[in-house]
Amino acid sequence: MNDTPGWASPGSAPSEGQGAGVPRPSEPADGNGPAGNWSPAQPPAGQWSPPGTPGSGPGAPPPAGWGGGGPQGPGWGRAPFAAKPGVIPLRPLGVGEILDGAVSTMRAHWRTVLGITLAVSVVAQVASILVDRFLLPEPPRVDPNATGSEVLRQATDSAQSAVISGLPSLLITMIATLITTSVLTVVISRSVLGRPVTLSDAWAEARPRLPQLLGLTLLLALISAAVLAVGLLPGMLIGSTAGAGLALLGFMAAFCVVIWLMVRFCLASPALMLERQSITISMRRSAKLVRGAWWRTFGILALTGLLTLVVAVVVTIPFGVIAVIVDGDGINSALTDGSTSFGWPFLIVSGIGEVIISTITYPLSAGVMALLYIDQRIRREALDLELARAAGLPGYDTRS
């Protein structure tokens, strides 16, 4: 058994569909037929006792509060008892448990989490400010009194400038996200087992996988861009008003396809990090784990995105107000002559706000993604048994 963050041998996962070397489901105790989807290894009989009665035999009476009167008992419907060596119980997780596990990891390993996220956020924000200040061209000035074709020209110039200005920031953000995601995924994998992890240990585990993670990110970005281009191209070729309407419809359809694909492949990153597989195999693993649970996965990701948006708004508003106050000259210039270039005080204050936002949201997003991957493997592949063995829990076979 692999005791590293990969836990199990990656190639032997049941959802891979491989026949060789994959344990078959065991027969039930009474021998009356196949066991269906039973895991090939089960905990000892005592582990199946109701909560509060560890080690009680199969015939022991249920304890008070368990609902001894049958399904109508007061305890019916409770989550089953499960060991919890780390931040999550080793059983299928609810949405709240996934979010709580991500937050618990931030609390339990705050030195490691804060160290990597704060360092990467500060470097990324300083790089973005320097690039924006010294390397990018001056944004075009906007004439508020322009009319006719001049308005269209100004809008085109502004759009081109926004794209050019946004590319370096997007690249810096992507690199920062890759580094934090890779390290934090390792931290999550250790926290599930209840094991300590230092920043140097997490970085040593994550560093060899960074090139593959970069390749995966670029591949998904290219797929999204290609789908959007296919949706927009027919309308752009036609031109005129009809072409604009067709381009809008094509964009909406392509956007839906992109959302579907990104949710389908959202678990490729943790699969690549924890199973140490190639890019294509990680994408296939993600597709198989998400299959049949697309809407649940989409809902959890949407909820996580909403939470990060709320955090961003809560932090941005006060820092934005402070930035405007300390940089009165830049605001006056923007109001009088249409300049969109702000001074150093505005950039520094707003940059501090961005660092705080990144320091909070990076661990939350990475934690939810990693725990969602673990949850799907628990549901489909009985990963909880492998995790229990890796954590050294009593009553589980520790043999490989």
Side-chain angles (χ1 to χ4, degrees), residues 216 219-220 223 265 268 278-287:
L216 173 64
L219 179 59
L220 293 178
I223 292 174
F265 297 130
S278 65
I279 294 174
T280 54
I281 293 179
S282 298
M283 293 176 67
R284 288 201 297 266
R285 288 283 290 139
S286 176

Side-chain angles (χ1 to χ4, degrees), residues 44-240:
Q47 297 288 340
W48 292 96
S49 304
T53 59
S56 59
W66 178 253
Q72 290 77 23
W76 188 261
R78 291 180 181 176
F81 173 76
K84 189 178 180 181
V87 295
I88 60 169
L90 300 185
R91 56 169 171 76
L93 305 174
V95 177
E97 290 172 322
I98 292 177
L99 295 173
D100 179 70
V103 176
S104 297
T105 301
M106 297 169 61
R107 292 199 305 262
H109 304 282
W110 65 269
R111 290 185 179 88
T112 303
V113 173
L114 184 63
I116 183 63
T117 55
L118 184 58
V120 172
S121 299
V122 169
V123 172
Q125 194 59 40
V126 170
S128 296
I129 292 176
L130 295 178
V131 168
D132 180 66
R133 193 65 177 176
F134 296 110
L135 299 182
L136 295 179
E138 183 75 15
R141 296 180 180 272
V142 178
D143 183 7
N145 299 320
T147 58
S149 60
E150 181 63 19
V151 175
L152 181 60
R153 186 192 66 80
Q154 290 185 8
T156 303
D157 292 343
S158 298
Q160 292 177 350
S161 176
V163 172
I164 295 174
S165 301
L167 286 178
S169 177
L170 180 62
L171 179 61
I172 293 172
T173 301
M174 183 183 70
I175 295 175
T177 303
L178 285 175
I179 295 174
T180 53
T181 298
S182 61
V183 175
L184 292 174
T185 300
V186 175
V187 174
I188 290 287
S189 68
R190 298 289 183 88
S191 65
V192 167
L193 301 177
R195 293 179 177 174
V197 57
T198 63
L199 181 56
S200 59
D201 292 337
W203 174 245
E205 289 276 358
R207 185 177 55 198
R209 308 301 299 167
L210 283 177
Q212 290 86 349
L213 190 59
L214 176 61
L216 173 64
T217 303
L218 293 177
L219 179 59
L220 293 178
L222 289 176
I223 292 174
S224 301
V227 172
L228 291 175
V230 170
L232 290 172
L233 189 59
M236 297 176 63
L237 292 176
I238 294 175
S240 71

Side-chain angles (χ1 to χ4, degrees), residues 344-361:
W344 281 107
F346 182 91
L347 295 177
I348 292 175
V349 174
S350 59
I352 294 174
E354 291 296 329
V355 168
I356 295 175
I357 292 172
S358 300
T359 303
I360 298 174
T361 58

